[in-house]
Amino acid sequence: MSTQGHTWARQVKKEGEEEDPLDQLISRSGCAASHYAVQECMAAHQDWRQCQPQVQAFRDCMSEQQARRREELQRRKEQGSAHS
């Protein structure tokens, strides 16, 4: 049985191919650059432990984005109930 390991290289979208929903989510979050930094580090080192600064930066970016999203949803909810 052969062990191939992970292929961490970023996949290039082919013409006519739909973008992966996860890639769409990351792109909309504004955290794509830090996500790609994690992918590039993993491709180079193939060891997540060596990529902790990149992983932490991506985690921080996504946490900030989620907090902004929650605030926006709360604001919309409050505006909607004020109009009722």
Side-chain angles (χ1 to χ4, degrees), residues 3-84:
T3 55
Q4 174 100 17
H6 294 285
T7 55
W8 293 100
R10 192 164 102 199
Q11 299 294 318
V12 177
K13 187 175 121 180
K14 296 178 180 133
E15 190 174 330
E17 185 179 349
E18 288 187 33
E19 188 174 8
D20 179 55
L22 181 60
D23 287 338
Q24 290 176 347
L25 175 71
I26 292 168
S27 292
R28 285 192 310 264
S29 74
C31 299
S34 56
H35 178 255
Y36 295 140
V38 171
Q39 286 186 320
E40 289 170 9
C41 182
M42 287 299 298
H45 299 288
Q46 301 204 352
D47 182 355
W48 64 269
R49 295 169 293 188
Q50 294 183 26
C51 300
Q52 286 308 292
Q54 293 87 345
V55 170
Q56 188 62 49
F58 179 58
R59 181 181 294 140
D60 292 345
C61 182
M62 289 301 290
S63 292
E64 290 170 13
Q65 190 276 334
Q66 288 173 337
R68 286 191 304 268
R69 179 78 175 134
R70 275 192 303 272
E71 289 171 7
E72 177 64 27
L73 290 173
Q74 184 64 33
R75 202 170 17 255
R76 287 182 185 183
K77 183 179 176 183
E78 290 169 358
Q79 288 175 349
S81 62
H83 293 289
S84 297

